[in-house]
Amino acid sequence: MEFLGRLKKFEGQAAATAGVGKDLVNEAMIRHWCEAMGDTHAAYTGPDAVAPPTMLQAWTMGGLSGHGDGTGRATAYDELFELLDDAGYASVVATDCEQEYVRDLRPGDRVSYDAVIESVSERKTTKLGTGHFITTRMDVLANDELAGTHRFRILKYAPAHRSLRQSADAERPPDRSPRSRPARPRPVVNRDNAGFWAGVAERRLLIQRCDDCAELRFPWLPGCHACGSTGWHTVEASGEGTVFSFVVMHHPPFPAFDPPYAVGLIELAEGVRMISNVVGVAPDEVRIGMPVRLEFTRVDDELELPLFRAEVA
Ligand code: ZN
């Protein structure tokens, strides 16, 4: 309780004061953002352009070089981190962010900001471990007028004492194989890709083809990237392919994997590409352009996986 009291004293303290954005709101940054996001909304171009609201925080960031002059820096946030570190809550994970938009930001606006430690939670236990949530609220101003708020929440925590290997074992599905080793991670099967995994269970590699424009797509998606149609059917891959690119994994060692192993980006004869292991040659003998052939491997009681075997003479 005494410790919580010390944490609570940080509520309301400044995390940044009178910070100033490095650049005025400008068309070039807006354009780059829209290109990166694939956002083609008309409001973000032309003489009356506004900045995308979700850029709010971008205008306050120091970039790689930081806010060199220490602009906006306050010490309370660092002190709070130190207090939590010293108490054993040394890990940190960002949990969520909320933004509110008050007015548009337009090219030429001068951005400034203040940030406050809004709340420090009591001790919470999560799947990751036990710790305290810290919520920081940044008020973003355009020409000294509130433009929006950005709330950012992190968890400072002490990790739960489970090693990777133990946690994989704990979540491991029933496996009656005589070898006691961590199971391969399960694929995330959802309504968008269930048909793919149903195909794999039958040892068929299915590619989606658009009903309207016949474009093939892989991995599975609900809509066509070429024409937007949601109608599709499947074609079965012949199993022929070539190594388009690859990496050889040495480190880090994940439970259920034995490094080194080759992970290939395989270009199927049909033209789409998929990622899977390349087997049949030593990992360091895998080459770009190498012909490979699909096969299926039974990993355990529940899991069938497609992989590619090098076709060596
Ligand atoms: Zn299409």
Side-chain angles (χ1 to χ4, degrees):
M1 284 313 287
E2 190 216 352
F3 182 66
L4 183 61
R6 289 172 69 196
L7 295 177
K8 287 283 184 191
K9 287 207 175 99
F10 284 89
E11 291 185 348
Q13 290 203 40
T17 313
V20 178
K22 281 187 131 174
D23 299 285
L24 299 180
V25 175
N26 64 84
E27 290 169 32
M29 281 174 67
I30 293 171
R31 182 169 57 80
H32 292 157
W33 174 282
C34 290
E35 286 180 359
M37 297 293 169
D39 192 334
T40 55
H41 197 284
Y44 310 140
T45 55
D48 297 320
V50 299
T54 47
M55 278 189 82
L56 188 69
Q57 191 198 11
W59 305 109
T60 69
M61 289 176 153
L64 288 177
S65 54
H67 287 292
D69 55 356
T71 177
R73 191 113 184 105
T75 56
Y77 202 67
D78 293 338
E79 289 165 14
L80 175 57
F81 258 59
E82 207 173 291
L83 182 60
L84 286 162
D85 284 342
D86 291 347
Y89 306 110
S91 298
V92 64
V93 61
T95 59
D96 63 292
C97 149
E98 296 163 41
Q99 293 186 332
E100 293 167 278
Y101 310 117
V102 177
R103 57 150 276 192
D104 288 326
L105 285 162
R106 295 174 183 278
D109 283 346
R110 175 185 169 277
V111 170
S112 57
Y113 57 92
D114 295 295
V116 63
I117 299 168
E118 197 170 60
S119 67
V120 185
S121 79
E122 55 192 56
R123 199 162 72 126
K124 304 273 190 184
T125 296
T126 73
K127 206 171 175 186
L128 283 175
T130 295
H132 297 267
F133 288 94
I134 303 171
T135 305
T136 310
R137 189 192 76 242
M138 178 185 277
D139 295 326
V140 180
L141 310 162
N143 306 328
D144 302 319
E145 188 186 330
L146 185 66
T149 61
H150 173 80
R151 270 192 186 76
F152 185 62
R153 194 167 293 114
I154 60 162
L155 174 65
K156 274 289 278 175
Y157 68 101
H161 286 291
R162 288 200 310 172
S163 72
L164 268 182
R165 188 164 290 270
Q166 285 166 332
S167 88
D169 276 336
E171 281 149 26
R172 170 184 188 193
D175 176 3
R176 280 161 290 282
S177 84
R179 299 174 68 196
S180 176
R181 58 175 297 171
R184 279 281 278 248
R186 309 288 103 175
V188 176
V189 180
N190 56 40
R191 62 181 178 181
D192 294 335
N193 68 10
F196 170 75
W197 289 105
V200 168
E202 297 172 356
R203 305 200 144 205
R204 300 166 69 216
L205 186 70
L206 300 178
I207 303 167
Q208 282 176 303
R209 181 155 61 193
C210 177
D211 283 344
D212 290 281
C213 75
E215 180 88 356
L216 294 171
R217 64 177 184 266
F218 193 94
W220 282 40
L221 288 168
C224 175
H225 55 84
C227 77
S229 169
T230 53
W232 54 270
H233 55 283
T234 60
V235 293
E236 184 173 352
S238 67
E240 302 294 338
T242 53
V243 175
F244 184 82
S245 187
F246 70 98
V247 294
V248 177
M249 284 294 295
H250 294 271
H251 192 81
F254 296 106
F257 291 83
D258 295 314
Y261 53 92
V263 180
L265 177 61
I266 307 303
E267 183 156 287
L268 299 177
E270 290 77 13
V272 295
R273 295 175 192 154
M274 72 173 285
I275 292 171
S276 189
N277 291 122
V278 179
V279 300
V281 289
D284 61 359
E285 288 169 4
V286 176
R287 293 290 178 268
I288 287 172
M290 179 178 261
V292 290
R293 180 148 192 67
L294 172 71
E295 64 179 46
F296 289 89
T297 183
R298 188 83 198 170
V299 177
D300 55 42
D301 285 0
E302 302 178 324
L303 188 60
E304 189 90 28
L305 286 178
L307 51 72
F308 292 89
R309 183 167 293 278
E311 304 228 286
V312 282

